[in-house]
Amino acid sequence: MESIQQTLHKMKNSTNILDRFQRLKDEVLSDKLILDFIQSNPTLSEHELDRNVSRLFEFRNERKNCTNCSSLQECSNMMGGYQPQLYTERGQILIRYNVCDKKKSADERKRQQTLIKSLYVPKEILSATFDQLDQDNRSRLVAIAKAVEFATTTNPGENGKGLYLHGKFGVGKTFIMGAIANELAERNISSMLVYTPDFFRELKSGIHDGSYNEKLEIVKSTPILILDDLGAETMSSWVRDDILGVILQHRMLEKLPTLYTSNYDYEELEEHLSYSQKGGIEQLKAKRIMERIRHFAEPISVEGINRRGN
């Protein structure tokens, strides 16, 4: 088989074409990665190199894109998120495309996000990490330390202990819970964040559309349940006893941790749970719910400015 140079010599205007080919070859062969590849494959023939100048040129350009790449979204390679690799097979130069580190990280992030389910929780909460949390007062330092400890050590089914973050509106309790959920995902532990008032309303409507039992079962059985803004709902005996009580009883028996955020401390929450829409006061039933919360969740006060700005 003729070499490329032999073929080019026979073509009209071959001198100009051959010059351009040689310049391209020299440019390609000056690339460090290609030189390293050639040196690690000393049996490659000159003919094989000539035959694959365009392939080597493609490799060089694609790898240059990878070197200058700032994010997966800005990837300009032919196959976004894939990095070229030269290899030989039976004396031939070939290119394979492997998943790059940025795409691996993005794919892993997507996989982890599937472990975090949410109901009525803002999207920014689902992307929270511990690195993003402000540590501007002692109570937040303590809360973050407890949250990190929980997220890195909890084992659903073995230890049902959770956390109860309480404090004023907007101090960042839910954001801390989002960071916990993402850290749990790193450990392949599934969690569910539930904005409690909306979830209770959805369960109530589920009685009419037949979805009540299914939705209740999902929340009861999720490995880590985060009840956000407990106490913000309109309390009724049915919500307290047949929803919250049933959920907590199941999770207590199965040793599945439950975490909470609330504007109320334990005493205030107990008072809230003792009232119903009908105006009655049912302290004993409220105490039963509170016993399940107190025994299985450590109370942590979170103080600070209103970070929501309203």
Side-chain angles (χ1 to χ4, degrees), residues 275-297:
Y275 288 92
S276 68
Q277 286 178 309
K278 296 180 180 180
I281 299 177
E282 299 174 308
Q283 292 180 334
L284 182 58
K285 290 185 177 180
K287 286 183 181 297
R288 287 175 180 169
I289 298 293
M290 287 307 303
E291 278 304 306
R292 295 167 189 167
I293 296 175
R294 279 192 174 98
H295 188 69
F296 288 97

Side-chain angles (χ1 to χ4, degrees), residues 217-279:
E217 189 61 35
I218 290 172
V219 174
K220 281 168 51 179
S221 303
T222 190
I224 303 289
L225 174 63
I226 302 172
L227 293 176
D228 184 41
D229 217 358
L230 181 64
E233 71 288 335
T234 301
M235 186 49 60
S236 69
S237 297
W238 179 74
V239 167
R240 181 193 60 214
D241 302 331
D242 295 332
I243 298 181
L244 185 58
V246 168
I247 290 172
L248 298 187
Q249 178 68 13
H250 176 85
R251 299 185 64 78
M252 178 183 70
L253 294 175
E254 297 298 321
K255 296 184 178 180
L256 299 175
T258 305
L259 296 88
Y260 312 82
T261 73
S262 180
N263 293 344
Y264 295 149
D265 61 22
Y266 278 167
E267 287 71 27
E268 292 167 334
L269 181 63
E270 182 171 332
E271 183 178 356
H272 171 75
L273 292 173
S274 68
Y275 288 92
S276 68
Q277 286 178 309
K278 296 180 180 180

Side-chain angles (χ1 to χ4, degrees), residues 22-187:
Q22 190 60 47
R23 285 197 298 271
L24 178 62
K25 179 181 176 183
D26 292 342
E27 182 183 339
V28 164
L29 295 183
S30 66
D31 182 88
K32 183 179 185 306
L33 289 177
I34 293 175
L35 281 173
D36 290 343
F37 169 74
I38 294 173
Q39 289 173 3
S40 63
N41 292 274
T43 58
L44 283 174
S45 66
E46 190 71 23
H47 169 71
E48 182 64 16
L49 292 174
D50 288 344
R51 200 163 67 91
N52 286 281
V53 167
S54 61
R55 182 168 289 165
L56 295 172
F57 182 75
E58 172 192 330
F59 168 82
R60 190 203 66 161
N61 287 350
E62 297 279 280
R63 282 303 295 259
K64 186 176 180 180
N65 291 338
C66 293
T67 301
N68 298 325
C69 181
S70 59
S71 69
L72 182 62
Q73 291 71 29
E74 296 180 7
C75 178
S76 56
N77 279 356
M78 291 185 293
M79 296 175 62
Y82 288 82
Q83 189 176 62
Q85 177 188 2
L86 290 172
Y87 71 103
T88 61
E89 188 174 283
R90 297 178 181 177
Q92 295 183 333
I93 298 174
L94 300 170
I95 297 180
R96 65 165 64 96
Y97 279 82
N98 303 316
V99 179
C100 74
D101 290 341
K102 289 185 174 65
K103 181 170 171 56
K104 285 180 182 177
S105 297
D107 289 347
E108 176 63 14
R109 188 67 178 163
K110 286 181 181 178
R111 186 192 68 78
Q112 291 173 355
Q113 287 295 333
T114 64
L115 295 173
I116 306 174
K117 302 176 179 65
S118 67
L119 293 173
Y120 312 108
V121 176
K123 288 183 179 179
E124 61 267 22
I125 299 299
L126 302 182
S127 60
T129 65
F130 286 118
D131 292 338
Q132 298 170 331
L133 300 180
D134 293 332
Q135 302 177 24
D136 51 6
N137 64 65
R138 185 179 183 281
S139 72
R140 287 182 63 81
L141 282 169
V142 171
I144 292 169
K146 292 288 186 180
V148 171
E149 180 184 11
F150 172 85
T152 56
T153 62
T154 188
N155 288 301
E158 297 179 13
N159 184 346
K161 298 286 187 177
L163 302 173
Y164 182 93
L165 302 187
H166 62 94
K168 293 181 180 179
F169 173 85
V171 295
K173 303 182 297 294
T174 305
F175 209 78
I176 293 174
M177 291 299 182
I180 290 175
N182 278 295
E183 187 66 29
L184 290 170
E186 294 273 359
R187 298 176 58 207

